Amino acid sequence: MRRPPSRTVCAGSGWIRRTVLTHGRRDHYGAAQELADRHGSEVLAHRAEASYVRGEEPVPEPVPHAWERPLYVHALTVTEAPPTRVDQELGDGDELSFGDGARVVHSPGHTPGSIGVHPPGHGVLFTGGSVAGWAG
């Protein structure tokens, strides 16, 4: 059963302007369309993941490394996610209109289109799934 997005964080409407998906796995975009509908916000994803997010192609099953297999067997199963529109397809080095010109950092590994978001001058890189690898 898919859990709804947090009602506390997402209360009201209009204050989320964009959702940047770090990769096209169901557990990372499952509620993106609902949030976009509620807030009138954009959804952004790397061009290598956009067709999965939109539901145009099946999401490839992960090929976990040996150390990851017990995690997948015992905990990392995710239900299907609804197709989600992608308003902007991203590539490495693209500048985003927030975070003082945040930049997209293409970081294939967990999936071929995994990305991070680096706002210059803040000393951080926002990622998702960057610990896991992609064998393929």
Side-chain angles (χ1 to χ4, degrees), residues 9-132:
V9 173
C10 303
S13 65
W15 66 271
I16 296 175
R17 292 188 302 208
R18 69 191 56 81
T19 300
V20 180
L21 304 175
T22 59
H23 61 288
R25 293 270 187 247
R26 295 180 299 257
D27 59 330
H28 283 255
Y29 73 84
Q33 186 64 58
E34 183 179 345
L35 289 171
D37 291 345
R38 181 179 303 152
H39 294 278
S41 58
E42 297 179 293
V43 178
L44 291 68
H46 190 273
R47 64 180 55 95
E49 309 282 308
S51 63
Y52 307 138
V53 175
R54 290 184 186 116
E56 298 165 352
E57 294 183 70
V59 177
E61 288 300 318
V63 180
H65 295 285
W67 68 268
E68 296 174 301
R69 287 185 193 119
L71 298 173
Y72 280 90
V73 169
H74 296 293
L76 296 180
T77 58
V78 179
T79 60
E80 291 297 318
T84 299
R85 75 171 194 270
V86 175
D87 300 300
Q88 183 179 350
E89 293 186 16
L90 303 171
D92 188 51
D94 286 354
E95 185 174 325
L96 304 172
S97 60
F98 63 89
D100 298 325
R103 294 278 180 179
V104 173
V105 178
H106 185 212
S107 53
H110 184 53
T111 68
S114 289
I115 63 168
V117 176
H118 174 62
H122 295 277
V124 297
L125 176 68
F126 295 98
T127 67
S130 61
V131 173

